[in-house]
Every structure is written in C-alpha cells, then in structure tokens.
Amino acid sequence: MRELETLFDGFADWLRGQYDPKSGGFFYARSSKASGRFSPDIESTAQAIHILDRVGALDGQSDLVKERFVCFFQKRQDPETGCFYDADPRMRKDEVMVARALGYATGVLTRLGAGWPYPSPNPRRGAPAWMRSPEAFGRWVRDVDLSHSWRGCDRLSCSAVYLAALAPQERAPYLEAMFAYLERVQDAATGFWGGGSGYVRVSGAFKLHTFYARFGEPVPRAARLLDSVVDVVRDEAATDMCYVRNAVHLVASLGPTVRPGRTADVGELIAKTVRHLRAFKRDDGGFSREMHRSVPAPNVAQVKEGETYPDMPEPVVLGEGAAEGDMNAGTQAVLVRRLCYRLAGVPEPPLPGDWQLEE
C-alpha cells in the first residue's frame, strides 16, 4: 500500500493544470490544452469533478468554481432532445457517448444541488428509437453484436441511463427482456459474455455488472465469473488502464458476495494491480490510458492495430496521444486506489495535495 501511495506524487498538480476557469470545464490532457485544437469536454469535466469528490475536495471549492461547473453542463443540454452534447458533431453519432454524457451531466448537476434547463430524454422524446417500447428494446438487445465483448456490453449497459428515468412499473418489462437475454447468452463455463481476449471479456463483464448493480439484480454465475477474472489478472498483461480498473472493480464488488471471508488471493491481486498501475504513471504527474501514451480517442475500445469491431464508432479525438496523463485514466487510477484499500480491509487515507482550483 505504501508503494501504491507513491504513484500519486504530483497528481493533484496535474489535475489542477487541466482546469479551464473561463469555461468551468477540464481538458482531457495537457496536449489538449496546449495545442489550441481542443476544448474542455463533458466526460473529462465530469471525471475531474468525480476525482475532487473522491478525495474530499469538491465541497471545499469556492462558490464561484462550483457555479462555473454548473454552467458548463447546463450550457451543453440540447432543448430538443434533453441530451448533453460536446461541440464535436461526431459525438452525437455514438450512442454510448451520448448516454454516458447524459449520465455524467445529470449526476454532477444533482451532486452540486442544481438542475438542468430542459426535461431529460424519455421513450417519446430524445431517447433512442429502441426505447419506444419493451418490444423494440428487446429486439435491440438481441441485435447488439457481442463478438467484441467490451463494446457490445458497453452498448447494452448504456441503456441504464434511459431505463432509470422510467417509473418502476414502466421499467419492469424492459429489465425483464434484458436480464432474460443476458442469462441465456452468458458463457456458463466462464461467466463472461461475448468474445475477445481475456481482458476484453473482463471489461464487458464489468459494464454489465454496473447495469445489474444499478437495478439491484445479482449477477448470474457470479462465483464462476469471479474465478475467471482472477485467472485473467494472473495470466495476462493489462495493456489498458481500463483493464486494471475493471478487473479490480469486479473482484472488489463480487468477492465479498460470492466468496465471503476469502483472503488467499487478495495480497497477490493487490500487488499485481499496483504493478500494473505503475506502468501507466506518466512524468507529468498523471496517468495514461495506454502503457506508453494517452489514447487520443478514449471512447473507442482498444483493438489490435488494423482490427475493427462491430459498430466501431467514428473516433471523437480529445488529445494528441502523447506520452502524458489523461483524465480518463486519472479518474480510474483514483478509483483503483480506493478499491485496493477496500480489498485490503484498510481505511483509505486522504490523498495528499493541493486540490483548490483557481477562480
């Protein structure tokens, strides 16, 4: 755990450097800010605010800074759809980015005690066509390609933000269609869904785990899934920060439920996680999505060079892909730290640093 703490030296300084007082938002990476080609975006800003919240520094920001946070998100809501969009028109074409932005924006505004100017999307306004009825939703669920587990399960899980807006009785048939399908297509031997490498399937399972958790439903075959995740962590190299976070998150979430009191693997898993995390630490104080550089378009799932996957979206580029920290990896690193302390059964100490943003 002491080794883990050393990885966050300079991190608070890096985070403050991503802030843009004029807009109230955060840039994705230093190259995003320095190049003049990019603007603060919804995901990076929400992720930075989540970091401030996790380290206990959000409420201590000045009223002016918090007002700017609120204005940043409110200005990005579309009056016709109720969704929140960045300026890049490609974002609107990626259903996962649109759903994530909706969840991020409404979540941050709620946390700050603010509302949003226009009604949220619902099955009759602003939401995707597949939300118009339980039957349309069921057809969409069955049509999502799971050959690349991470992307396919991400698409399925993004529906949660629309389902959560429904009344419980209206939501029930949608959830019934989703859960019945997922249990039917789950790999009984591994607990995974869909195809791809070990970590791609871990990441897909993580996406679906968040869906199950949001609606209070236990993950089917959870014990088998936990064993499979542990096997992947032991046997494969984590080449993406998401792989590190998704694996440790699944172990920390599923472990106490399906293996109460099991401690044999914890020390090994924490050591492996810290070793993986170190590979993503950059000289600027931040963490990067890949081992040697930041990913220019963080919402495109990792594939081998030259490969594609079904429904591969047109990339929304947020940075230049330099050897630098980025916000997507930074928010995951802070969460990995918290999860490691949870697995160790040790209270999480405050993360040192100056977290106060300039006005």
Side-chain angles (χ1 to χ4, degrees), residues 173-226:
Y174 288 84
L175 292 180
E176 183 179 351
M178 175 72 88
F179 290 139
Y181 175 74
L182 291 178
E183 186 157 9
R184 188 166 69 250
V185 301
Q186 186 183 25
D187 186 328
T190 65
F192 288 136
W193 289 268
S197 68
Y199 269 115
V200 165
R201 299 180 86 192
V202 167
S203 297
F206 166 73
K207 293 295 183 180
L208 291 183
H209 166 264
T210 65
F211 186 94
Y212 279 96
R214 181 154 191 176
F215 298 108
E217 187 76 10
V219 176
R221 303 179 177 95
R224 190 67 201 98
L225 175 59
L226 176 64

Short mmCIF file of all heavy atoms in Angstrom, two decimals, residues 173-226:
data_model
loop_
_atom_site.label_atom_id
_atom_site.label_comp_id
_atom_site.label_asym_id
_atom_site.label_seq_id
_atom_site.Cartn_x
_atom_site.Cartn_y
_atom_site.Cartn_z
N PRO A 173 -40.85 -4.37 -17.67
CA PRO A 173 -40.74 -5.25 -18.84
C PRO A 173 -39.45 -5.05 -19.63
O PRO A 173 -38.96 -5.99 -20.26
CB PRO A 173 -41.97 -4.87 -19.68
CG PRO A 173 -42.39 -3.52 -19.20
CD PRO A 173 -42.02 -3.47 -17.76
N TYR A 174 -38.89 -3.85 -19.58
CA TYR A 174 -37.59 -3.62 -20.23
C TYR A 174 -36.51 -4.45 -19.53
O TYR A 174 -35.71 -5.13 -20.18
CB TYR A 174 -37.22 -2.14 -20.17
CG TYR A 174 -38.01 -1.22 -21.05
CD1 TYR A 174 -39.23 -0.71 -20.65
CD2 TYR A 174 -37.51 -0.82 -22.29
CE1 TYR A 174 -39.95 0.17 -21.45
CE2 TYR A 174 -38.22 0.05 -23.11
CZ TYR A 174 -39.44 0.54 -22.68
OH TYR A 174 -40.14 1.41 -23.48
N LEU A 175 -36.49 -4.38 -18.20
CA LEU A 175 -35.48 -5.12 -17.45
C LEU A 175 -35.66 -6.62 -17.62
O LEU A 175 -34.68 -7.38 -17.71
CB LEU A 175 -35.54 -4.75 -15.97
CG LEU A 175 -35.11 -3.33 -15.61
CD1 LEU A 175 -35.22 -3.11 -14.10
CD2 LEU A 175 -33.68 -3.06 -16.07
N GLU A 176 -36.90 -7.06 -17.65
CA GLU A 176 -37.16 -8.49 -17.83
C GLU A 176 -36.57 -8.98 -19.15
O GLU A 176 -35.94 -10.04 -19.21
CB GLU A 176 -38.66 -8.75 -17.79
CG GLU A 176 -39.04 -10.21 -17.92
CD GLU A 176 -40.55 -10.43 -17.86
OE1 GLU A 176 -41.28 -9.48 -17.55
OE2 GLU A 176 -40.99 -11.56 -18.13
N ALA A 177 -36.73 -8.19 -20.21
CA ALA A 177 -36.18 -8.56 -21.51
C ALA A 177 -34.66 -8.61 -21.47
O ALA A 177 -34.03 -9.53 -22.01
CB ALA A 177 -36.64 -7.57 -22.58
N MET A 178 -34.04 -7.62 -20.82
CA MET A 178 -32.59 -7.57 -20.75
C MET A 178 -32.03 -8.73 -19.92
O MET A 178 -31.14 -9.47 -20.37
CB MET A 178 -32.14 -6.25 -20.14
CG MET A 178 -30.63 -6.15 -19.90
SD MET A 178 -29.66 -5.96 -21.42
CE MET A 178 -29.68 -4.17 -21.56
N PHE A 179 -32.53 -8.93 -18.72
CA PHE A 179 -31.97 -9.94 -17.84
C PHE A 179 -32.18 -11.36 -18.39
O PHE A 179 -31.30 -12.22 -18.26
CB PHE A 179 -32.57 -9.82 -16.43
CG PHE A 179 -32.13 -8.59 -15.69
CD1 PHE A 179 -33.04 -7.86 -14.93
CD2 PHE A 179 -30.81 -8.15 -15.75
CE1 PHE A 179 -32.64 -6.72 -14.25
CE2 PHE A 179 -30.40 -7.01 -15.06
CZ PHE A 179 -31.32 -6.29 -14.31
N ALA A 180 -33.33 -11.61 -18.99
CA ALA A 180 -33.58 -12.94 -19.56
C ALA A 180 -32.60 -13.23 -20.68
O ALA A 180 -32.05 -14.34 -20.79
CB ALA A 180 -35.02 -13.03 -20.06
N TYR A 181 -32.36 -12.23 -21.52
CA TYR A 181 -31.42 -12.41 -22.63
C TYR A 181 -30.00 -12.62 -22.13
O TYR A 181 -29.29 -13.54 -22.58
CB TYR A 181 -31.48 -11.21 -23.56
CG TYR A 181 -30.45 -11.27 -24.68
CD1 TYR A 181 -30.60 -12.14 -25.75
CD2 TYR A 181 -29.31 -10.46 -24.62
CE1 TYR A 181 -29.66 -12.20 -26.75
CE2 TYR A 181 -28.36 -10.52 -25.63
CZ TYR A 181 -28.53 -11.39 -26.68
OH TYR A 181 -27.58 -11.46 -27.68
N LEU A 182 -29.56 -11.82 -21.18
CA LEU A 182 -28.19 -11.92 -20.69
C LEU A 182 -27.92 -13.27 -20.03
O LEU A 182 -26.85 -13.85 -20.20
CB LEU A 182 -27.89 -10.79 -19.70
CG LEU A 182 -27.82 -9.39 -20.30
CD1 LEU A 182 -27.57 -8.36 -19.21
CD2 LEU A 182 -26.72 -9.30 -21.36
N GLU A 183 -28.88 -13.76 -19.28
CA GLU A 183 -28.67 -15.07 -18.65
C GLU A 183 -28.62 -16.17 -19.70
O GLU A 183 -27.87 -17.14 -19.56
CB GLU A 183 -29.78 -15.35 -17.63
CG GLU A 183 -29.53 -16.62 -16.84
CD GLU A 183 -30.25 -16.63 -15.50
OE1 GLU A 183 -31.08 -15.73 -15.25
OE2 GLU A 183 -30.00 -17.55 -14.71
N ARG A 184 -29.38 -16.01 -20.77
CA ARG A 184 -29.41 -17.03 -21.81
C ARG A 184 -28.09 -17.09 -22.59
O ARG A 184 -27.65 -18.17 -22.97
CB ARG A 184 -30.58 -16.76 -22.77
CG ARG A 184 -30.81 -17.86 -23.78
CD ARG A 184 -32.15 -17.73 -24.47
NE ARG A 184 -32.20 -16.57 -25.36
CZ ARG A 184 -32.92 -15.49 -25.14
NH1 ARG A 184 -33.64 -15.37 -24.02
NH2 ARG A 184 -32.93 -14.49 -26.00
N VAL A 185 -27.46 -15.95 -22.83
CA VAL A 185 -26.26 -15.94 -23.68
C VAL A 185 -24.97 -15.92 -22.87
O VAL A 185 -23.88 -15.95 -23.45
CB VAL A 185 -26.28 -14.74 -24.65
CG1 VAL A 185 -27.51 -14.79 -25.55
CG2 VAL A 185 -26.19 -13.41 -23.92
N GLN A 186 -25.05 -15.89 -21.55
CA GLN A 186 -23.84 -15.91 -20.73
C GLN A 186 -23.12 -17.25 -20.88
O GLN A 186 -23.75 -18.30 -20.95
CB GLN A 186 -24.19 -15.67 -19.27
CG GLN A 186 -22.98 -15.53 -18.34
CD GLN A 186 -23.40 -15.35 -16.88
OE1 GLN A 186 -24.49 -15.78 -16.48
NE2 GLN A 186 -22.54 -14.73 -16.08
N ASP A 187 -21.79 -17.21 -20.94
CA ASP A 187 -20.98 -18.42 -21.00
C ASP A 187 -21.02 -19.10 -19.64
O ASP A 187 -20.51 -18.58 -18.65
CB ASP A 187 -19.53 -18.04 -21.37
CG ASP A 187 -18.64 -19.25 -21.60
OD1 ASP A 187 -18.87 -20.30 -20.97
OD2 ASP A 187 -17.70 -19.15 -22.41
N ALA A 188 -21.64 -20.26 -19.58
CA ALA A 188 -21.81 -20.96 -18.30
C ALA A 188 -20.49 -21.39 -17.69
O ALA A 188 -20.37 -21.51 -16.47
CB ALA A 188 -22.72 -22.17 -18.49
N ALA A 189 -19.46 -21.61 -18.52
CA ALA A 189 -18.18 -22.08 -18.01
C ALA A 189 -17.35 -20.96 -17.40
O ALA A 189 -16.62 -21.18 -16.43
CB ALA A 189 -17.39 -22.75 -19.14
N THR A 190 -17.43 -19.75 -17.97
CA THR A 190 -16.59 -18.65 -17.51
C THR A 190 -17.35 -17.53 -16.81
O THR A 190 -16.75 -16.75 -16.06
CB THR A 190 -15.83 -18.02 -18.69
OG1 THR A 190 -16.77 -17.42 -19.58
CG2 THR A 190 -15.01 -19.07 -19.44
N GLY A 191 -18.63 -17.42 -17.07
CA GLY A 191 -19.39 -16.29 -16.54
C GLY A 191 -19.30 -15.05 -17.39
O GLY A 191 -19.93 -14.02 -17.09
N PHE A 192 -18.51 -15.09 -18.49
CA PHE A 192 -18.36 -13.93 -19.36
C PHE A 192 -19.49 -13.87 -20.39
O PHE A 192 -20.24 -14.83 -20.58
CB PHE A 192 -17.02 -13.99 -20.10
CG PHE A 192 -15.81 -13.73 -19.23
CD1 PHE A 192 -14.67 -14.53 -19.34
CD2 PHE A 192 -15.78 -12.67 -18.34
CE1 PHE A 192 -13.55 -14.29 -18.55
CE2 PHE A 192 -14.67 -12.42 -17.55
CZ PHE A 192 -13.56 -13.23 -17.66
N TRP A 193 -19.55 -12.73 -21.06
CA TRP A 193 -20.47 -12.56 -22.19
C TRP A 193 -19.65 -12.18 -23.42
O TRP A 193 -18.75 -11.33 -23.34
CB TRP A 193 -21.47 -11.45 -21.92
CG TRP A 193 -22.52 -11.75 -20.91
CD1 TRP A 193 -23.76 -12.28 -21.12
CD2 TRP A 193 -22.42 -11.54 -19.49
NE1 TRP A 193 -24.44 -12.41 -19.94
CE2 TRP A 193 -23.65 -11.96 -18.92
CE3 TRP A 193 -21.42 -11.04 -18.66
CZ2 TRP A 193 -23.90 -11.89 -17.55
CZ3 TRP A 193 -21.65 -10.97 -17.29
CH2 TRP A 193 -22.88 -11.39 -16.76
N GLY A 194 -19.96 -12.78 -24.55
CA GLY A 194 -19.34 -12.38 -25.80
C GLY A 194 -17.91 -12.84 -25.96
O GLY A 194 -17.40 -13.66 -25.19
N GLY A 195 -17.23 -12.30 -27.00
CA GLY A 195 -15.91 -12.77 -27.36
C GLY A 195 -14.83 -11.73 -27.15
O GLY A 195 -15.08 -10.62 -26.70
N GLY A 196 -13.61 -12.13 -27.51
CA GLY A 196 -12.47 -11.25 -27.37
C GLY A 196 -11.44 -11.85 -26.43
O GLY A 196 -11.60 -12.95 -25.89
N SER A 197 -10.37 -11.10 -26.19
CA SER A 197 -9.31 -11.55 -25.28
C SER A 197 -9.84 -11.58 -23.85
O SER A 197 -10.97 -11.14 -23.56
CB SER A 197 -8.13 -10.58 -25.35
OG SER A 197 -8.49 -9.32 -24.80
N GLY A 198 -9.02 -12.10 -22.95
CA GLY A 198 -9.45 -12.19 -21.55
C GLY A 198 -9.86 -10.85 -20.98
O GLY A 198 -10.94 -10.71 -20.40
N TYR A 199 -9.02 -9.83 -21.16
CA TYR A 199 -9.34 -8.52 -20.59
C TYR A 199 -10.49 -7.84 -21.32
O TYR A 199 -11.21 -7.04 -20.73
CB TYR A 199 -8.11 -7.63 -20.57
CG TYR A 199 -7.31 -7.73 -19.29
CD1 TYR A 199 -6.01 -8.25 -19.29
CD2 TYR A 199 -7.85 -7.32 -18.08
CE1 TYR A 199 -5.28 -8.34 -18.12
CE2 TYR A 199 -7.13 -7.42 -16.90
CZ TYR A 199 -5.85 -7.93 -16.92
OH TYR A 199 -5.14 -8.02 -15.75
N VAL A 200 -10.67 -8.11 -22.61
CA VAL A 200 -11.84 -7.58 -23.31
C VAL A 200 -13.12 -8.16 -22.71
O VAL A 200 -14.12 -7.45 -22.50
CB VAL A 200 -11.74 -7.88 -24.82
CG1 VAL A 200 -13.09 -7.66 -25.52
CG2 VAL A 200 -10.68 -6.99 -25.47
N ARG A 201 -13.08 -9.43 -22.37
CA ARG A 201 -14.26 -10.05 -21.76
C ARG A 201 -14.45 -9.60 -20.31
O ARG A 201 -15.59 -9.44 -19.85
CB ARG A 201 -14.14 -11.57 -21.85
CG ARG A 201 -14.06 -12.09 -23.29
CD ARG A 201 -13.94 -13.60 -23.33
NE ARG A 201 -15.25 -14.23 -23.30
CZ ARG A 201 -15.46 -15.53 -23.10
NH1 ARG A 201 -14.43 -16.33 -22.88
NH2 ARG A 201 -16.68 -16.01 -23.11
N VAL A 202 -13.35 -9.40 -19.59
CA VAL A 202 -13.45 -8.81 -18.25
C VAL A 202 -14.13 -7.45 -18.32
O VAL A 202 -15.02 -7.13 -17.53
CB VAL A 202 -12.06 -8.68 -17.60
CG1 VAL A 202 -12.11 -7.79 -16.36
CG2 VAL A 202 -11.52 -10.05 -17.22
N SER A 203 -13.72 -6.65 -19.30
CA SER A 203 -14.27 -5.29 -19.43
C SER A 203 -15.75 -5.34 -19.82
O SER A 203 -16.55 -4.52 -19.36
CB SER A 203 -13.47 -4.50 -20.45
OG SER A 203 -12.13 -4.34 -20.00
N GLY A 204 -16.12 -6.28 -20.67
CA GLY A 204 -17.53 -6.45 -20.98
C GLY A 204 -18.34 -6.84 -19.75
O GLY A 204 -19.43 -6.31 -19.51
N ALA A 205 -17.79 -7.78 -18.96
CA ALA A 205 -18.49 -8.20 -17.74
C ALA A 205 -18.61 -7.04 -16.75
O ALA A 205 -19.63 -6.90 -16.06
CB ALA A 205 -17.74 -9.36 -17.10
N PHE A 206 -17.58 -6.20 -16.68
CA PHE A 206 -17.66 -5.03 -15.80
C PHE A 206 -18.80 -4.11 -16.21
O PHE A 206 -19.55 -3.61 -15.38
CB PHE A 206 -16.34 -4.27 -15.81
CG PHE A 206 -16.45 -2.90 -15.21
CD1 PHE A 206 -16.57 -2.74 -13.83
CD2 PHE A 206 -16.47 -1.77 -16.01
CE1 PHE A 206 -16.72 -1.49 -13.27
CE2 PHE A 206 -16.62 -0.51 -15.46
CZ PHE A 206 -16.74 -0.37 -14.08
N LYS A 207 -18.93 -3.87 -17.52
CA LYS A 207 -20.01 -3.00 -17.99
C LYS A 207 -21.37 -3.56 -17.59
O LYS A 207 -22.26 -2.82 -17.13
CB LYS A 207 -19.94 -2.85 -19.51
CG LYS A 207 -18.72 -2.10 -20.01
CD LYS A 207 -18.72 -0.66 -19.56
CE LYS A 207 -17.54 0.11 -20.12
NZ LYS A 207 -17.54 1.53 -19.67
N LEU A 208 -21.56 -4.87 -17.74
CA LEU A 208 -22.85 -5.45 -17.38
C LEU A 208 -23.04 -5.50 -15.87
O LEU A 208 -24.17 -5.38 -15.37
CB LEU A 208 -22.99 -6.84 -18.00
CG LEU A 208 -23.13 -6.85 -19.52
CD1 LEU A 208 -23.34 -8.27 -20.02
CD2 LEU A 208 -24.26 -5.95 -20.01
N HIS A 209 -21.95 -5.68 -15.14
CA HIS A 209 -22.05 -5.65 -13.67
C HIS A 209 -22.62 -4.32 -13.20
O HIS A 209 -23.45 -4.26 -12.28
CB HIS A 209 -20.68 -5.89 -13.05
CG HIS A 209 -20.62 -5.56 -11.59
ND1 HIS A 209 -20.17 -4.34 -11.12
CD2 HIS A 209 -20.99 -6.25 -10.49
CE1 HIS A 209 -20.26 -4.31 -9.81
NE2 HIS A 209 -20.75 -5.46 -9.40
N THR A 210 -22.19 -3.20 -13.82
CA THR A 210 -22.73 -1.90 -13.42
C THR A 210 -24.22 -1.82 -13.71
O THR A 210 -24.97 -1.19 -12.95
CB THR A 210 -22.00 -0.74 -14.14
OG1 THR A 210 -22.25 -0.81 -15.56
CG2 THR A 210 -20.50 -0.80 -13.90
N PHE A 211 -24.67 -2.48 -14.78
CA PHE A 211 -26.09 -2.50 -15.11
C PHE A 211 -26.87 -3.27 -14.06
O PHE A 211 -27.89 -2.80 -13.54
CB PHE A 211 -26.29 -3.10 -16.50
CG PHE A 211 -27.70 -3.04 -17.00
CD1 PHE A 211 -28.12 -1.98 -17.79
CD2 PHE A 211 -28.63 -4.02 -16.68
CE1 PHE A 211 -29.44 -1.90 -18.25
CE2 PHE A 211 -29.93 -3.95 -17.12
CZ PHE A 211 -30.34 -2.89 -17.91
N TYR A 212 -26.39 -4.48 -13.74
CA TYR A 212 -27.07 -5.28 -12.72
C TYR A 212 -27.13 -4.53 -11.39
O TYR A 212 -28.16 -4.50 -10.72
CB TYR A 212 -26.34 -6.62 -12.54
CG TYR A 212 -26.67 -7.67 -13.56
CD1 TYR A 212 -25.88 -7.86 -14.68
CD2 TYR A 212 -27.78 -8.49 -13.40
CE1 TYR A 212 -26.16 -8.83 -15.63
CE2 TYR A 212 -28.09 -9.48 -14.33
CZ TYR A 212 -27.28 -9.64 -15.45
OH TYR A 212 -27.58 -10.61 -16.37
N ALA A 213 -26.00 -3.93 -11.01
CA ALA A 213 -25.94 -3.25 -9.72
C ALA A 213 -26.89 -2.06 -9.66
O ALA A 213 -27.51 -1.79 -8.63
CB ALA A 213 -24.51 -2.78 -9.44
N ARG A 214 -27.01 -1.35 -10.77
CA ARG A 214 -27.87 -0.17 -10.78
C ARG A 214 -29.32 -0.51 -10.48
O ARG A 214 -30.04 0.27 -9.85
CB ARG A 214 -27.78 0.54 -12.12
CG ARG A 214 -28.62 1.81 -12.20
CD ARG A 214 -28.11 2.79 -13.19
NE ARG A 214 -28.75 4.08 -13.08
CZ ARG A 214 -28.41 5.14 -13.80
NH1 ARG A 214 -27.43 5.05 -14.68
NH2 ARG A 214 -29.04 6.29 -13.65
N PHE A 215 -29.74 -1.70 -10.90
CA PHE A 215 -31.14 -2.08 -10.71
C PHE A 215 -31.31 -3.16 -9.64
O PHE A 215 -32.36 -3.80 -9.55
CB PHE A 215 -31.74 -2.51 -12.05
CG PHE A 215 -31.73 -1.40 -13.06
CD1 PHE A 215 -30.85 -1.42 -14.14
CD2 PHE A 215 -32.56 -0.30 -12.90
CE1 PHE A 215 -30.82 -0.38 -15.05
CE2 PHE A 215 -32.55 0.75 -13.81
CZ PHE A 215 -31.67 0.71 -14.89
N GLY A 216 -30.28 -3.34 -8.81
CA GLY A 216 -30.39 -4.21 -7.65
C GLY A 216 -30.55 -5.67 -7.96
O GLY A 216 -31.15 -6.43 -7.18
N GLU A 217 -30.01 -6.11 -9.08
CA GLU A 217 -30.14 -7.51 -9.51
C GLU A 217 -28.79 -8.20 -9.38
O GLU A 217 -27.76 -7.67 -9.78
CB GLU A 217 -30.61 -7.55 -10.96
CG GLU A 217 -30.95 -8.94 -11.47
CD GLU A 217 -32.29 -9.44 -10.97
OE1 GLU A 217 -33.05 -8.64 -10.37
OE2 GLU A 217 -32.59 -10.63 -11.17
N PRO A 218 -28.73 -9.40 -8.78
CA PRO A 218 -27.45 -10.11 -8.67
C PRO A 218 -26.97 -10.60 -10.04
O PRO A 218 -27.77 -10.98 -10.89
CB PRO A 218 -27.77 -11.29 -7.75
CG PRO A 218 -29.24 -11.49 -7.88
CD PRO A 218 -29.84 -10.13 -8.13
N VAL A 219 -25.67 -10.57 -10.23
CA VAL A 219 -25.08 -11.06 -11.46
C VAL A 219 -25.18 -12.58 -11.50
O VAL A 219 -24.79 -13.25 -10.54
CB VAL A 219 -23.60 -10.64 -11.57
CG1 VAL A 219 -22.95 -11.22 -12.81
CG2 VAL A 219 -23.49 -9.11 -11.58
N PRO A 220 -25.70 -13.17 -12.57
CA PRO A 220 -25.77 -14.64 -12.62
C PRO A 220 -24.37 -15.25 -12.71
O PRO A 220 -23.45 -14.65 -13.27
CB PRO A 220 -26.60 -14.91 -13.88
CG PRO A 220 -26.48 -13.67 -14.71
CD PRO A 220 -26.30 -12.54 -13.76
N ARG A 221 -24.24 -16.44 -12.13
CA ARG A 221 -22.97 -17.19 -12.15
C ARG A 221 -21.81 -16.34 -11.64
O ARG A 221 -20.71 -16.36 -12.17
CB ARG A 221 -22.68 -17.71 -13.56
CG ARG A 221 -23.79 -18.60 -14.15
CD ARG A 221 -23.45 -19.07 -15.56
NE ARG A 221 -24.47 -19.95 -16.09
CZ ARG A 221 -25.49 -19.56 -16.86
NH1 ARG A 221 -25.63 -18.27 -17.17
NH2 ARG A 221 -26.38 -20.42 -17.30
N ALA A 222 -22.07 -15.58 -10.58
CA ALA A 222 -21.09 -14.62 -10.09
C ALA A 222 -19.81 -15.30 -9.58
O ALA A 222 -18.70 -14.78 -9.78
CB ALA A 222 -21.70 -13.76 -8.98
N ALA A 223 -19.94 -16.45 -8.94
CA ALA A 223 -18.76 -17.13 -8.42
C ALA A 223 -17.85 -17.59 -9.56
O ALA A 223 -16.61 -17.46 -9.48
CB ALA A 223 -19.17 -18.33 -7.56
N ARG A 224 -18.45 -18.10 -10.62
CA ARG A 224 -17.65 -18.52 -11.77
C ARG A 224 -17.00 -17.33 -12.45
O ARG A 224 -15.84 -17.38 -12.87
CB ARG A 224 -18.53 -19.28 -12.78
CG ARG A 224 -17.75 -19.95 -13.88
CD ARG A 224 -16.90 -21.10 -13.32
NE ARG A 224 -15.80 -21.47 -14.19
CZ ARG A 224 -14.56 -21.05 -14.04
NH1 ARG A 224 -14.24 -20.21 -13.08
NH2 ARG A 224 -13.61 -21.46 -14.84
N LEU A 225 -17.74 -16.25 -12.55
CA LEU A 225 -17.19 -15.04 -13.15
C LEU A 225 -16.02 -14.51 -12.34
O LEU A 225 -14.98 -14.12 -12.91
CB LEU A 225 -18.30 -13.97 -13.24
CG LEU A 225 -17.88 -12.59 -13.75
CD1 LEU A 225 -17.29 -12.68 -15.16
CD2 LEU A 225 -19.07 -11.63 -13.72
N LEU A 226 -16.14 -14.51 -11.03
CA LEU A 226 -15.04 -14.04 -10.18
C LEU A 226 -13.78 -14.87 -10.41
O LEU A 226 -12.67 -14.32 -10.56
CB LEU A 226 -15.45 -14.11 -8.71
CG LEU A 226 -14.37 -13.74 -7.70
CD1 LEU A 226 -13.96 -12.28 -7.85
CD2 LEU A 226 -14.86 -14.00 -6.27
#
